[in-house]
Amino acid sequence: MQSHGGGVQLTALSAGFQLWSEFISIALTDIASTGGEGSQSIFSAVTSMGSEQTLRRAALLFAGRLPTTSELNAVTNSSEEELRVAIRDLMDGEGFRQFLLESANDRLLTEAFAGGLFNIVDRFRYPNSMQYYQSTGNRLERLLTSQALAEEPLQLIAHVVTNERPYTEILTADYIMVNPYSAEIYGSTAAFANPTDTNEWREGRIMEYYRCTVCGRNNPNVSYDIATNYPHAGILNSPAFLSRFPSTSTNRNRARARWVYYFFLGVDIEGLSDRTTDPVALADENNPTLNNPNCVVCHEIMGPVAGAFQNYGDDGFYRDQQGGESSLPGSYRNGFFGFQTGDTWYADMLAPGFGELLAPGANNSLQWLAQEFVKDSRFGTGTVNFWYPAIMGRKPYAEPENPEDTEDTDYQSRLAAFSTEQELMRAVAADFVAGSAGNGEHNLKDLLVDLAMSDYFRAASVESFSLEQEVELEEVGIGKLLTPEQLNHKLMDATGYNWSYGSTSALEQVYTLVYGGIDSFGITERATELTTLMSSVVTAMANEVSCSIVSQDFSLTQNQRKLFTSVELSSLPTTDPAGIRSNIQTLHSRLLGEDLALDDVEIEASYALFVDVWNARLAANKDSDVSSNEEFCILSNVSSSVRIDANQTLRSWAAVINYLLRDYKFIHE
């Protein structure tokens, strides 16, 4: 039976959807039956971080900085609720906004088009972009415009979260985020205080989009003259999102359906069923995605949501075909016997909808889908899944394979780890949806706080554990490798020094990919473990910045310094060993987050390094110039600097800084 807009109508819950529902129900029942026991066994041997350590880790993550002394004092001997409040207070300002943008892009990857204006818009459909077509002038404006278009869905998330609006608005928003550059492309009427400020973002709408009466860029009669009231549906029909996840005439929006299920409901459709390679099972060529049981299990879930994207063509443009009435390609309209005038979707696919529900009409199917998604019981767990890697530094555990199908002798331990984590995620999702923290339903800040307060985030150490617990705790606790961006933030805030080559950031631009970062296009997964190549970046960082950091910090008065608050360059091992040890204790605390006694072996090792370097320099009769032909110190990037080291202590402190910057605890949190 055909629906009005094309597509096969489902009058009852499909067999595939029933199978999926049963699969989820059984999985959750299994988890519930093992989760409590698993939770107790996994964390029974674990010592959690104290409030100060937890706040430090949360501050570096959410605010891109170390906690202040007053913030640390506020959580000393605090209750769990007081710590929650302190962590939530970190979620403000530019540091938190950058956390949201970077973390959201790790999933949505729209920054891939930050330098490609016409990967997102089209000079015919968006005539305000014509000025940048093959233009040799305004190259900077073109780059800023490209960046703004690519960032838009990320800015929408940041806008919703920082204004503490329900997170559901990232899908249901009837607006788009624009800055002065993207507003011009979209014809938005949003007003800006500064027409050149790339960081000023406002709610706007796409007012200048045109469909074609006669399509074809090389057609002499081409005409893009159908003015369009663009129907916004949050991220779902953001031009950047649609462009980043394109379709084809054979894929028919199925990939888009797959990704929105994964991003917003936490469902990996491709993981719901094993893919058969049996040639007999795959021999059916009579519309197998609709009729072959081996295909239907996934396609009956995917197909209706693909249909909800019916108004968006392969490149993401709204109703981009001749006459502006649909996005059905000419190869289908002109050659398929089931096509009827007025159809907006394929007659040989399931009708646009979601599960057993049919979209009420072709004009608003995506807006309808957005509303259905945010009402779905899986939206909460989908949101937890989306943000979990940003907090924990890894994706959630996958359910282990049944031991009957594998030789995995650790099955029960891995199942316990999986079940316990799922238990946490379901609990966080339930509180998020209900607004249990008292800040309203679907408040993402509350969700992030819940994850940061969890055993998974705060686990610090174990004295002993069983072989089973060794498997269960394999990826739990501190030790998250900082991303290039996070390491740069930490270096700058902890030391006050910006590691850069001119105006180019070393970590965020020069060494980003070498140090495990992503380009959002070819490289989309961040490194989670340090490699040999990445360690060379750490070595370069320590070697290049250590002298500069010391020179810059000692140029300030003692009460202005970040690092050397107990000594002067005149403090020598022969005259002030106590002061030097005390300052080394401060360095271990600030750079590595270690609370060590003055007689700790680590303090003694750092002190010995200081003394050895100092003695060696005296014995070698080193010159007092900090930077010379023999000894290079990068002082061009230092706002103010010490250039004479008559006591040979500056280089001794630089050796200690170099040593600490290479430490595991500096590049991990």
Side-chain angles (χ1 to χ4, degrees):
M1 174 177 174
Q2 296 228 341
S3 72
H4 175 70
V8 178
Q9 181 174 337
L10 293 181
T11 57
L13 187 65
S14 69
F17 196 78
Q18 282 181 317
L19 178 61
W20 182 29
S21 300
E22 291 169 7
F23 169 84
I24 296 297
S25 177
I26 292 171
L28 292 180
T29 300
D30 289 345
I31 291 169
S33 65
T34 62
E37 181 181 350
S39 178
Q40 183 178 6
S41 64
I42 285 179
F43 291 104
S44 59
V46 173
T47 300
S48 295
M49 290 187 292
S51 295
E52 294 93 335
Q53 288 178 296
T54 302
L55 188 69
R56 174 189 169 93
R57 191 178 182 201
L60 285 166
L61 179 65
F62 295 128
R65 60 172 177 81
L66 297 173
T68 64
T69 301
S70 61
E71 287 172 335
L72 288 171
N73 290 340
V75 299
T76 301
N77 301 319
S78 67
S79 66
E80 291 291 277
E81 185 54 37
E82 288 171 328
L83 177 59
R84 291 182 63 90
V85 172
I87 291 175
R88 203 177 195 282
D89 287 345
L90 296 168
M91 299 178 185
D92 191 19
E94 187 57 29
F96 181 58
R97 189 175 192 85
Q98 286 303 312
F99 161 79
L100 293 172
L101 296 175
E102 290 167 8
S103 301
N105 183 69
D106 280 357
R107 309 308 302 277
L108 301 181
L109 303 171
T110 59
E111 286 277 12
F113 295 148
L117 178 70
F118 290 110
N119 284 314
I120 298 176
V121 297
D122 177 284
R123 66 187 188 277
F124 295 105
R125 295 181 173 88
Y126 295 92
N128 292 340
S129 68
M130 182 70 77
Q131 60 180 305
Y132 297 117
Y133 181 68
Q134 292 184 342
S135 173
T136 56
N138 297 323
R139 300 178 100 178
L140 177 59
E141 282 192 16
R142 175 174 176 156
L143 181 61
L144 295 176
T145 301
S146 300
Q147 179 71 40
L149 298 178
E151 272 189 24
E152 181 276 319
L154 316 177
Q155 291 288 349
L156 174 59
I157 290 175
H159 177 69
V160 169
V161 176
T162 55
N163 286 284
E164 306 217 30
R165 296 183 181 179
Y167 191 69
T168 53
E169 195 169 316
I170 69 166
L171 301 186
T172 62
D174 63 350
Y175 59 86
I176 193 170
M177 295 303 295
V178 292
N179 74 3
Y181 294 92
S182 57
E184 181 178 0
I185 298 297
Y186 291 141
S188 173
T189 57
F192 299 93
N194 182 348
T196 62
D197 185 358
T198 58
N199 294 316
E200 186 178 356
W201 291 85
R202 297 279 184 262
E203 295 180 14
R205 295 187 63 83
I206 296 177
M207 306 295 289
E208 293 286 336
Y209 176 85
Y210 293 88
R211 289 171 285 159
C212 55
T213 303
V214 179
C215 304
R217 297 176 181 179
N218 298 320
N219 189 326
N221 299 315
V222 65
S223 176
Y224 287 77
D225 58 0
I226 304 175
T228 303
N229 182 17
Y230 197 91
H232 290 287
I235 290 175
L236 294 181
N237 68 350
S238 158
F241 179 80
L242 291 169
S243 299
R244 185 62 186 82
F245 299 99
S247 188
T248 67
S249 58
T250 53
N251 182 266
R252 297 180 175 183
N253 288 334
R254 293 184 181 103
R256 287 174 178 152
R258 182 252 169 149
W259 286 115
V260 296
Y261 262 113
Y262 183 63
F263 289 145
F264 307 121
L265 298 186
V267 175
D268 185 359
I269 293 177
E270 293 186 351
L272 294 178
S273 176
D274 292 333
R275 294 187 178 187
T276 182
T277 57
D278 181 3
V280 176
L282 297 174
D284 181 8
E285 297 181 359
N286 179 26
N287 199 351
T289 61
L290 198 61
N291 300 314
N292 188 322
N294 294 287
C295 303
V296 164
V297 64
C298 291
H299 282 272
E300 284 195 344
I301 300 166
M302 188 187 305
V305 171
F309 281 88
Q310 62 189 315
N311 290 315
Y312 301 89
D314 295 344
D315 295 324
F317 298 124
Y318 177 75
R319 294 196 173 180
D320 62 351
Q321 295 299 308
Q322 197 94 339
E325 295 183 357
S326 77
S327 287
L328 293 172
S331 59
Y332 172 81
R333 298 194 315 273
N334 301 327
F336 186 72
F337 69 91
F339 173 74
Q340 299 178 20
T341 301
D343 278 357
T344 55
W345 190 236
Y346 298 92
D348 57 343
M349 286 186 67
L350 295 176
F354 176 51
E356 63 179 334
L357 303 175
L358 292 176
N363 291 333
N364 64 348
S365 58
L366 205 55
Q367 288 74 17
W368 172 84
L369 179 69
Q371 295 292 340
E372 294 302 320
F373 259 42
V374 300
K375 289 188 298 185
D376 191 90
S377 60
R378 293 160 297 180
F379 182 74
T381 53
T383 305
V384 177
N385 268 280
F386 188 96
W387 290 97
Y388 199 83
I391 308 303
M392 304 302 178
R394 62 171 177 83
K395 295 178 181 178
Y397 294 131
E399 184 173 13
E401 294 184 42
N402 191 306
E404 296 177 1
D405 303 324
T406 178
E407 297 181 358
D408 186 359
T409 58
D410 297 328
Y411 174 77
Q412 290 299 330
S413 295
R414 297 193 182 282
L415 179 61
F418 168 77
S419 301
T420 306
E421 187 172 62
Q422 289 295 310
E423 183 182 0
L424 165 72
M425 295 173 73
R426 292 199 315 276
V428 171
D431 287 343
F432 164 69
V433 172
S436 299
N439 298 301
E441 298 175 0
H442 298 104
N443 188 299
L444 190 80
K445 287 186 179 181
D446 292 334
L447 182 152
L448 299 176
V449 172
D450 283 344
L451 291 177
M453 290 291 294
S454 71
D455 288 329
Y456 284 89
F457 186 83
R458 300 181 67 184
S461 63
V462 293
E463 291 188 6
S464 64
F465 47 76
S466 65
L467 293 176
E468 291 80 7
Q469 287 174 321
E470 184 175 358
V471 174
E472 295 164 357
L473 297 169
E474 183 178 3
E475 295 188 57
V476 172
I478 61 175
K480 174 184 180 293
L481 180 68
L482 296 175
T483 68
E485 296 86 351
Q486 290 169 340
L487 183 58
N488 190 50
H489 297 160
K490 182 176 182 179
L491 178 66
M492 289 179 64
D493 189 68
T495 70
Y497 183 74
N498 179 16
W499 185 27
S500 62
Y501 303 123
S503 60
T504 303
S505 169
L507 282 167
E508 295 196 25
Q509 293 172 280
V510 178
Y511 298 121
T512 302
L513 300 183
V514 177
Y515 198 68
I518 63 174
D519 62 7
S520 302
F521 194 76
I523 302 174
T524 59
E525 295 283 342
R526 291 188 180 275
T528 56
E529 295 183 7
L530 194 70
T531 66
T532 302
L533 185 59
M534 292 167 67
S535 67
S536 68
V537 176
V538 176
T539 300
M541 174 185 71
N543 288 342
E544 292 185 19
V545 307
S546 54
C547 177
S548 308
I549 287 170
V550 178
S551 176
Q552 177 173 275
D553 208 51
F554 270 117
S555 72
L556 306 173
T557 59
Q558 198 171 94
N559 63 350
Q560 294 177 314
R561 298 174 194 163
K562 289 178 176 286
L563 301 173
F564 302 104
T565 57
S566 304
V567 292
E568 298 293 347
L569 288 174
S570 57
S571 302
L572 309 178
T574 54
T575 61
D576 192 13
I580 294 172
R581 278 190 169 89
S582 177
N583 206 95
I584 287 174
Q585 184 184 47
T586 298
L587 294 178
H588 275 263
S589 175
R590 185 166 184 84
L591 298 181
L592 307 185
E594 294 178 330
D595 184 14
L596 304 177
L598 277 173
D599 60 354
D600 190 277
V601 62
E602 294 293 339
I603 301 295
E604 188 57 38
S606 297
Y607 179 76
L609 174 61
F610 179 93
V611 173
D612 287 347
V613 172
W614 183 69
N615 283 328
R617 293 185 66 80
L618 290 180
N621 196 28
K622 287 290 187 178
D623 190 87
S624 62
D625 286 342
V626 171
S627 185
S628 64
N629 292 332
E630 295 181 357
E631 294 186 295
F632 183 64
C633 184
I634 303 174
L635 299 177
S636 57
N637 291 344
V638 178
S639 54
S640 59
S641 61
V642 172
R643 295 176 178 268
I644 299 297
D645 180 23
N647 296 298
Q648 300 301 325
T649 53
L650 189 149
R651 288 284 183 177
S652 303
W653 282 117
V656 174
I657 294 295
N658 191 313
Y659 169 63
L660 296 179
L661 293 184
R662 297 169 186 248
D663 194 278
Y664 177 93
K665 291 183 179 179
F666 187 76
I667 61 178
H668 294 77
E669 279 291 339

